[in-house]
Amino acid sequence: MSTYGTFPGSRPRRLRTNPAMRRMVAEHRLHPADLILPAFVREGAAEPVPISAMPGVVQHTRDTLRRAAVEALEAGVSGIMLFGVPEDAKKDAAGTAGTDPEGILQVAIRDVKAEVGDDLVIMSDLCLDEYTDHGHCGVLDSEGRVDNDATLERYAEMAQIQADAGVHVVGPSGMMDGQVGVIRDALDQTGHEDVSVLAYTAKYASAFYGPFREAVGSSLQGDRKTYQQDPANARESLRELELDLAEGADMVMVKPALPYLDILAKVAESVDVPVAAYQISGEYAMVEAAAANGWIDRDRAILETLTGIKRAGANMILTYWATEVARQL
């Protein structure tokens, strides 16, 4: 039997006694403005195409993409990250559909801009993988290797074309050396000084991208280990961070999110620019699959994963649940 002056002398449980108390002392809070919705738009689609590995996510038509943008805006989501899915016949070795002013991504940017204007931050994936017949994020040399510097020239052109279409933020995701600096120069030299660069600073060669390959109709054979980061490395991400900031990145990102929360925390502690994290397709698919089997509480798991990402230091979170979660919040 306990008496006065005995342990436990400290009782942290006092601050967990009821929902109001827990809410009052919460150290981190999700807000709709933290969230960015990644969205896919498929060229020539007459109706949305479900992505089998990502239940609830589709390749949009131009019309349904516009509606998705409005819904995200009305829910309080801050931004939408657009990925174009061209017709297979338009893919080639140089990814020319990615720099065609009438390419699907550029058309989608204009569509969304016409629908929501500047009320929703319109972001675009700046990469060649969706548009190349080999599926890599750059152009290949004579030996089949990704040619870093030749790819930079393509990225510079993509940046200008996407900016011309009205994008607010470009997201170079190819992990080419020097990509942020080249893109920043290309934007500035073509009168697009106000377009921001969200650097994919630490993008790892992850197994969790699997469902995304279906989402964008990837033609990739092999892997991207010669340009995406090795999952075993942490210090390397800080070197990439230093380079991206020196080259003019306005915001930086860690991708994937959950397997790399340690990297996210290191990055967040090291910078004075906004930090994003991308909760990628495999992370989404795991929760949805487990919930579909009755193994976890879906809604609680979603909020717990997002809170963990926020707690690790993300100011912004790209998540396929963005609109749904924003409505709940």
Side-chain angles (χ1 to χ4, degrees):
M1 181 176 179
S2 63
T3 59
Y4 295 117
T6 62
F7 290 101
S10 297
R11 295 185 182 271
R13 286 182 55 190
R14 293 185 187 118
L15 302 184
R16 307 172 194 152
T17 51
N18 58 57
M21 179 67 77
R22 293 191 293 272
R23 183 173 63 248
M24 184 179 73
V25 301
E27 297 175 32
H28 298 88
R29 289 181 174 85
L30 285 172
H31 189 278
D34 299 333
L35 306 177
I36 297 166
L37 177 68
F40 309 99
V41 57
R42 180 168 178 167
E43 187 170 21
E47 59 185 22
V49 179
I51 300 167
S52 64
M54 301 174 68
V57 180
V58 301
Q59 294 173 332
H60 284 286
T61 70
R62 290 175 60 188
D63 286 340
T64 64
L65 177 66
R66 285 192 286 261
R67 289 199 293 273
V70 170
E71 290 171 358
L73 173 61
E74 291 175 344
V77 170
S78 282
I80 187 168
M81 173 66 81
L82 302 177
F83 296 86
V85 184
E87 296 174 347
D88 286 344
K90 294 186 177 179
K91 295 182 180 182
D92 59 24
T96 53
T99 49
D100 180 354
E102 297 306 315
I104 182 58
L105 181 54
Q106 287 68 252
V107 169
I109 292 169
R110 293 197 294 270
D111 285 345
V112 174
K113 187 68 174 287
E115 197 72 35
V116 300
D118 295 332
D119 293 334
L120 185 70
V121 179
I122 302 169
M123 305 177 169
S124 56
D125 180 56
L126 198 163
C127 197
L128 289 171
D129 59 321
E130 296 99 323
Y131 311 100
T132 54
D133 53 13
H134 47 73
H136 278 287
C137 296
V139 295
L140 305 183
D141 63 18
S142 58
E143 298 183 22
R145 301 171 301 188
V146 176
D147 187 324
N148 191 93
D149 294 0
T151 299
L152 293 182
E153 295 182 15
R154 300 286 294 123
Y155 285 3
E157 186 179 357
M158 289 187 81
Q160 177 184 343
I161 295 296
Q162 292 177 4
D164 287 344
V167 79
H168 298 112
V169 179
V170 294
S173 59
M175 290 299 288
M176 296 296 119
D177 294 339
Q179 63 184 14
V180 171
V182 166
I183 289 166
R184 182 73 269 161
D185 285 348
L187 291 169
D188 291 350
Q189 292 175 20
T190 55
H192 296 299
E193 297 90 348
D194 290 340
V195 174
S196 299
V197 177
L198 169 58
Y200 281 58
T201 293
K203 182 178 180 182
Y204 283 85
S206 173
F208 291 95
Y209 296 131
F212 181 87
R213 304 281 162 79
E214 177 190 350
V216 297
S218 175
S219 304
L220 180 66
Q221 299 294 319
D223 58 53
R224 299 185 171 122
K225 293 180 180 179
T226 63
Y227 44 101
Q228 293 177 353
Q229 284 184 230
D230 187 335
N233 292 352
R235 288 193 301 270
E236 183 181 33
S237 65
L238 299 181
R239 183 183 183 200
E240 294 279 4
L241 175 64
E242 182 179 357
L243 292 168
D244 283 349
L245 293 174
E247 292 172 21
D250 298 288
M251 299 170 277
V252 296
M253 185 195 290
V254 174
K255 181 180 181 180
L258 290 178
Y260 298 94
L261 292 180
D262 60 324
I263 306 302
L264 176 59
K266 289 177 183 292
V267 169
E269 291 170 359
S270 302
V271 300
D272 56 4
V273 299
V275 177
Y278 197 145
Q279 186 180 53
I280 66 169
S281 60
E283 299 173 60
Y284 175 96
M286 286 193 303
V287 172
E288 291 288 352
N293 279 282
W295 297 334
I296 60 173
D297 181 319
R298 177 183 181 275
D299 291 348
R300 285 184 61 197
I302 291 170
L303 289 176
E304 187 173 339
T305 60
L306 292 171
T307 301
I309 296 167
K310 180 76 178 285
R311 188 182 65 246
N315 306 108
M316 305 168 292
I317 305 171
L318 286 81
T319 176
Y320 299 98
W321 290 303
T323 301
E324 175 187 346
V325 170
R327 287 170 176 159
Q328 294 174 7
L329 296 175

